Amino acid sequence: MAEPERAQPRLRPAPLLFEPTEATADPEHFFDLESIEDPRELLARATELTLAFRTATDRSVEFQAIAAAQLADPGRFDRLTMSAIAERADWTEDYAKKMVEFGRELLRSESRQ
């Protein structure tokens, strides 16, 4: 059986969901940063976006880990193997194991609160 072809990695980040669709049609558009002429204002706004994206990334990773832990739960009748989780998330199997453990830690800390 032939191994399925992996999708080519994206060359550009996917558009963010809350960016207006008309703006995403222009590949140079990015949250109106290109229209800011004052470098002080541009630095402030770009820094604000960078911090927001970092926070969003961290939070998204936590949700990925929680979902992976839930999918690997031996108590689920439909649980997935590490390789299946890795395939779905485009991770290596070793990384999937680490994420499942991280997710379990997050779930344990949630239940203690």
Side-chain angles (χ1 to χ4, degrees):
M1 182 171 178
E3 187 166 318
E5 286 186 34
R6 284 240 191 249
Q8 291 296 322
R10 290 187 179 137
L11 300 177
R12 306 189 63 225
L16 297 172
L17 297 177
F18 51 86
E19 220 179 340
T21 54
E22 340 40 270
T24 59
D26 177 3
E28 297 303 313
H29 176 82
F30 189 72
F31 289 89
D32 252 357
L33 292 179
E34 69 286 344
S35 68
I36 300 173
E37 293 183 20
D38 177 6
R40 288 177 187 91
E41 184 182 343
L42 178 59
L43 179 60
R45 180 67 177 133
T47 301
E48 181 181 82
L49 284 170
T50 298
L51 295 174
F53 293 148
R54 283 182 190 154
T55 301
T57 298
D58 291 345
R59 195 69 179 125
S60 293
V61 168
E62 289 175 355
F63 279 106
Q64 280 184 307
I66 289 170
Q70 291 171 333
L71 289 170
D73 182 354
R76 289 178 64 105
F77 76 93
D78 61 345
R79 78 171 180 210
L80 297 178
T81 63
M82 288 299 161
S83 61
I85 292 169
E87 185 177 329
R88 284 180 181 231
D90 199 23
W91 297 332
T92 65
E93 196 168 331
D94 286 340
Y95 187 73
K97 290 175 187 174
K98 290 176 184 178
M99 287 294 280
V100 166
E101 185 51 41
F102 178 48
R104 287 176 177 156
E105 289 172 20
L106 290 171
L107 289 168
R108 279 191 293 268
S109 68
E110 263 184 19
S111 68
R112 284 185 241 149
Q113 291 177 357

